[in-house]
Amino acid sequence: MSDGEQVSDLLATRRAKLERLRASGIDPFPHAFPGVRASAEVLAGYEHLEPGDESDDPHRVAGRLAARRGQGKMAFLDLVDRSGRIQLQARADVLGEERMAALLELDLGDLIGVDGAVLRSKRGELTLRVDAFTVLAKSLRPPPDKHHGLTDVETRMRRRELDLMSNADARDVFVTRAKAIATLRRHLDDRGFIEVETPVLQPLYGGALARPFVTHHNQLDRDLYLRIAPELYLKRCIVGGLERVYELGKDFRNEGVSFKHNPEFTMIEWYEAYADYTDVMTRVEEAVAEIAGVCGVPEGGPNLAAPWRRVTLRDAIAEHAGGLDVLAHRDRDALAAAIAAAPGVELETDGRTWPQLVDDLLSKYVEPQVTDPVFITDYPKELSPFAKDHRTHEGLVERFEAFCAGMEIANGFTELNDPDEQRRRFDDQQRLALEGDEEAQPYDEVFVEALEQGMPPTGGVGLGIDRLVMVLTGQHSIREVVLFPAMRD
């Protein structure tokens, strides 16, 4: 019999059981099952039981049948819910012969609810005695193999529900993600920040150097862009007097897919009036340290405790790229020649602008070397169209990027609030676009006019949630921390 024929027979068998349930008057898909408690919570109160002891306290749990051992008068079954696995003990003298047979007729993967009391088996395992059970959803397809789980990476990503069903580690990753987000929100809320929402569909994209996705609005008969960042709208909130704001949501960038890039990703940005980039760095390291305290970090993972090391971009590149001093070569051709002459440095320079070359050096020679978190600071103005001029170093801006575990996790500035300087920066970006930079920032006149109303001194940052969760869970691919990542056909 072929694999296809075997699968067809399995599906037919399960559908036949579905019809038998209906024929016996049992609804295989009831509306609700109130009063359920997490299995781990139920078991936690009975550590004192000795082998063979039984309690009389009634409890109700629900989940998916994952294993079955034994037949006849007694059987043990495994039930899995979000909190973990609980062993069930089914006995004919408790359920009766007919209900015992009905329970053993169920398939692995079926969802059931169970009423019973906790006991400790003779082998010492805390167990729930099945006093009654209810079918909550008949599974018409077999679950992944109970011993090997779901191992094919492509299938795990495309069919995440099967991955979560069979892989407790996958479930743990997304529980950690939820805890991290909740902790970060609470951290900011407790410090006077308010959460706001700004447009995802924007008439003009901005706030980052990236290529956008374009769509068309039929009623308005105009093209709109999926946002690459909420930055410019959030700074308009600062202009309006909200003073401390944050937004956590999706951004979209029409760029490559890699272990650290997904075209749809989750970012939190916050902006604080009367602060600068040093204040923001302190907030970032304190927030991440608090999140790590709640969620934990894998053994051997980065040390996220504050404070983090701080080093200038100039020194970081020189340290890892053969002593190359990018600020000593401030035009494209001079920097390209210096790169060619630098020992141990191999970098394609044709067709790259000066800021692109600096960014390439950072990405190739610095970023992969970072393990514990570090703030790289004081970037050239050409790389940072929205950052304020450095107060002591001409040609630089007050900007930082936070790197950890070989990737950037945050990017922040002392925000540029001089409207005339912002106009000049937009003009510079237009020149870079003419030189072939597809990620150059377009000119946003509405934003400049908002700055002309007056924006107070402000510090701001964008922190990547997906990459932070990678660090917290020890994952090496962004696809492992995004429930449904972008995939090729």
Side-chain angles (χ1 to χ4, degrees):
M1 181 182 294
S2 70
D3 289 345
E5 289 172 328
Q6 288 180 335
V7 171
S8 180
D9 282 352
L10 284 172
L11 297 181
T13 299
R14 286 180 176 247
R15 284 206 167 268
K17 290 184 178 182
L18 172 70
E19 295 310 318
R20 287 200 292 273
L21 286 171
R22 285 176 167 150
S24 66
I26 295 174
D27 180 1
F29 303 103
H31 289 77
F33 191 67
V36 170
R37 294 179 63 196
S39 62
E41 179 185 331
V42 169
L43 296 181
Y46 294 93
E47 291 296 334
H48 63 280
L49 291 181
E50 298 293 332
D53 287 351
E54 296 191 17
S55 72
D56 296 321
D57 307 324
H59 295 288
R60 171 170 277 194
V61 298
R64 193 178 297 275
L65 283 178
R68 181 171 50 228
R69 301 169 294 282
Q71 294 285 337
K73 300 298 184 181
M74 180 182 291
F76 290 91
L77 306 95
D78 289 344
L79 187 80
V80 174
D81 64 8
R82 196 183 81 186
S83 69
R85 181 188 68 89
I86 185 170
Q87 178 171 267
L88 307 177
Q89 182 199 71
R91 302 200 316 244
D93 64 332
V94 175
L95 287 171
E97 298 288 345
E98 184 177 343
R99 291 297 286 162
M100 182 72 174
L103 178 60
L104 296 180
E105 172 77 358
L106 295 177
D107 290 310
L108 298 185
D110 287 352
L111 288 153
I112 66 169
V114 176
D115 293 293
V118 176
L119 59 88
R120 191 179 289 277
S121 71
K122 292 180 179 179
R123 293 187 175 184
E125 182 172 354
L126 285 176
T127 301
L128 190 73
R129 184 186 68 235
V130 181
D131 295 336
F133 71 93
T134 303
V135 177
L136 300 180
K138 177 63 187 171
S139 174
L140 298 178
R141 292 182 175 273
D145 181 88
K146 66 179 180 179
H147 295 297
H148 302 102
L150 196 64
T151 57
D152 180 73
V153 174
E154 289 290 310
T155 304
R156 288 180 53 241
M157 301 298 120
R158 294 181 190 278
R159 298 296 306 277
R160 182 68 85 181
E161 67 278 10
L162 300 180
D163 185 33
L164 296 171
M165 184 189 305
S166 62
N167 185 351
D169 290 340
R171 294 195 297 273
D172 289 344
V173 165
F174 293 101
V175 171
T176 297
R177 182 186 176 106
K179 288 180 180 178
I181 290 172
T183 303
L184 182 52
R185 276 194 163 112
R186 184 169 59 250
H187 182 92
L188 293 173
D189 291 343
D190 289 348
R191 287 155 180 78
F193 286 80
I194 62 169
E195 185 171 6
V196 298
E197 294 180 331
T198 65
V200 173
L201 283 175
Q202 300 181 346
L204 185 66
Y205 64 94
L209 303 179
R211 287 179 294 178
F213 289 94
V214 187
T215 188
H216 188 78
H217 192 291
N218 292 331
Q219 181 66 33
L220 298 178
D221 191 24
R222 67 179 301 183
D223 285 344
L224 296 172
Y225 303 92
L226 289 176
R227 72 179 179 197
I228 60 175
E231 176 175 343
L232 304 190
Y233 284 93
L234 291 175
K235 287 197 276 195
R236 287 164 66 181
C237 293
I238 297 292
V239 171
L242 293 182
E243 294 188 348
R244 291 187 180 187
V245 296
Y246 73 90
E247 181 170 13
L248 192 152
K250 294 288 189 181
D251 293 339
F252 307 84
R253 298 181 186 177
N254 199 350
E255 56 190 16
V257 176
S258 74
F259 79 94
K260 60 182 179 180
H261 291 101
N262 194 59
E264 173 186 351
F265 61 98
T266 304
M267 178 82 75
I268 187 169
E269 293 198 20
W270 72 77
Y271 293 84
E272 179 179 358
Y274 315 114
D276 67 9
Y277 76 143
T278 61
D279 300 311
V280 177
M281 281 187 272
T282 299
R283 283 212 187 277
V284 169
E285 63 190 2
E286 289 178 349
V288 172
E290 182 176 337
I291 293 167
V294 171
C295 299
V297 178
E299 185 177 352
N303 176 12
L304 300 180
W308 298 353
R309 180 187 177 216
R310 303 184 186 191
V311 59
T312 67
L313 178 138
R314 180 184 200 170
D315 290 344
I317 291 177
E319 178 182 347
H320 296 286
L324 181 62
D325 184 350
V326 295
L327 298 186
H329 310 282
R330 290 305 297 260
D331 67 78
R332 198 217 78 86
D333 292 341
L335 181 56
I339 290 171
V345 176
E346 295 182 5
L347 197 68
E348 178 59 50
T349 60
D350 289 347
R352 306 294 284 169
T353 65
W354 188 89
Q356 287 175 326
L357 290 175
V358 175
D359 192 56
D360 290 346
L361 288 166
L362 181 64
S363 299
K364 183 174 180 178
Y365 290 100
V366 179
E367 189 171 352
Q369 305 305 317
V370 175
T371 302
D372 288 341
V374 59
F375 290 117
I376 295 180
T377 67
D378 301 346
Y379 280 54
K381 185 184 297 188
E382 294 90 335
L383 272 72
S384 313
F386 298 110
K388 198 172 182 67
D389 284 350
H390 200 285
R391 64 196 77 184
T392 57
H393 297 291
E394 186 176 352
L396 302 184
V397 293
E398 295 191 347
R399 174 187 175 187
F400 70 86
E401 287 185 298
F403 292 87
C404 183
M407 58 190 171
E408 176 207 343
I409 62 170
N411 180 28
F413 319 138
T414 301
E415 303 294 339
L416 177 58
N417 61 345
D418 179 339
D420 294 333
E421 174 63 14
Q422 184 64 76
R423 287 184 191 278
R424 287 190 288 271
R425 301 279 187 89
F426 278 140
D427 287 338
D428 291 341
Q429 288 293 302
Q430 297 311 294
R431 283 192 289 273
L432 291 172
L434 292 174
E435 293 177 20
D437 188 348
E438 295 181 348
E439 298 181 352
Q441 169 69 47
Y443 200 110
D444 191 333
E445 177 62 26
V446 173
F447 175 65
V448 175
E449 291 179 4
L451 291 183
E452 289 178 335
Q453 298 290 334
M455 186 176 84
T458 298
V461 67
L463 173 64
I465 297 298
D466 307 313
R467 292 182 183 178
L468 177 60
V469 176
M470 288 172 64
V471 173
L472 295 170
T473 58
Q475 300 297 321
H476 301 292
S477 170
I478 197 170
R479 298 197 304 176
E480 296 288 355
V481 301
V482 174
L483 271 170
F484 300 100
M487 305 285 288
R488 297 185 186 277
D489 287 340

